[in-house]
Amino acid sequence: MELKRDQLIAAGHHALAARASASPFHPANAAGYFSYADGVKGLRLECIGDNWEFFRSEGVEGICNKKLKKRVLFANVHEACGNDDPQARSRKGAGSERVACGDMFDAAGIDLPVSVVKFAGDYKTYYLMVDQNGAMELSLPIVKAGGNFLRCVERIFLIDGNDLDEIDFGVDEPADDTDLDIVLTRK
């Protein structure tokens, strides 16, 4: 997909850092909103370049690759990298349904096996899904009428929330050097 795992994980860390900045004095939905807003920002900061560019349509935002005919959006989910398909923490709007272009059979009440899913649009819409524990996956869900993810056609696990310490972000830790002690004296 011309995206690197570390880029996507870094984008997810933008979301996690923003979620952590919400305080009890913020509105109740602040942690989720901050996470979403900085998750989208993180996708753009980390991934735009080469063939990836801004995507904004139908009230949804993310990045797209016109050459590959793929989009990546951001979603906060209850649990990423689990046995069950992830579910968004908030309902997806009609714009997400239109952009996702999932199978139209579900809208008609016809259940098809996952292997038969057809996409109506030119683009496949993936989501960088991040849960509050730090687990992240890049998945291709079908957005069901009513604002939920019906199921994922494809799931790529990026990082389990327990693996966060294993990623090196190139941040230099302070040296454990006693010469750095500051001495204060009275005049």
Side-chain angles (χ1 to χ4, degrees):
M1 290 181 60
E2 297 179 6
L3 291 170
K4 295 181 180 152
R5 177 179 177 262
D6 290 344
Q7 289 175 310
L8 294 168
I9 291 171
H13 279 100
H14 285 268
L16 291 171
R19 170 181 287 282
S21 72
S23 75
F25 294 107
H26 282 102
N29 67 342
Y33 175 74
F34 292 168
S35 179
Y36 167 76
D38 276 23
V40 172
K41 177 191 81 173
L43 272 172
R44 291 174 173 166
L45 283 172
E46 301 294 337
C47 301
I48 285 183
D50 296 323
N51 293 318
W52 287 93
E53 57 190 56
F54 270 76
F55 171 74
R56 180 178 288 144
S57 179
E58 300 285 346
V60 295
E61 307 224 9
I63 58 175
C64 71
N65 185 316
K66 291 179 181 175
K67 178 181 148 197
L68 297 176
K69 302 285 190 197
K70 296 185 189 293
R71 296 182 191 107
V72 179
L73 308 178
F74 179 86
N76 291 308
V77 295
H78 289 289
E79 180 185 10
C81 303
N83 291 331
D84 297 326
D85 287 341
Q87 288 301 314
R89 294 184 68 84
S90 60
R91 294 169 44 94
K92 300 289 145 208
S96 293
E97 291 175 38
R98 285 189 294 272
V99 169
C101 299
D103 66 36
M104 299 295 133
F105 292 99
D106 180 61
I110 301 169
D111 290 327
L112 293 174
V114 172
S115 62
V116 184
V117 171
K118 305 273 189 245
F119 285 87
D122 292 339
Y123 284 76
K124 288 190 177 178
T125 302
Y126 288 77
Y127 280 81
L128 173 60
M129 299 182 178
V130 178
D131 72 19
Q132 61 190 6
N133 297 319
M136 300 175 205
E137 65 181 78
L138 182 66
S139 295
L140 177 61
I142 296 169
V143 180
K144 177 178 161 181
N148 298 313
F149 294 142
L150 176 63
R151 63 181 176 262
C152 289
V153 177
E154 183 178 350
R155 296 177 73 192
I156 303 166
F157 292 3
L158 300 171
I159 188 169
D160 182 340
N162 298 324
D163 300 340
L164 290 176
D165 293 334
E166 295 177 13
I167 303 296
D168 179 19
F169 292 99
V171 177
D172 295 329
E173 293 182 14
D176 191 20
D177 190 351
T178 56
D179 290 340
L180 296 177
D181 292 339
I182 298 171
V183 179
L184 299 176
T185 59
R186 287 181 82 88
K187 287 187 171 184

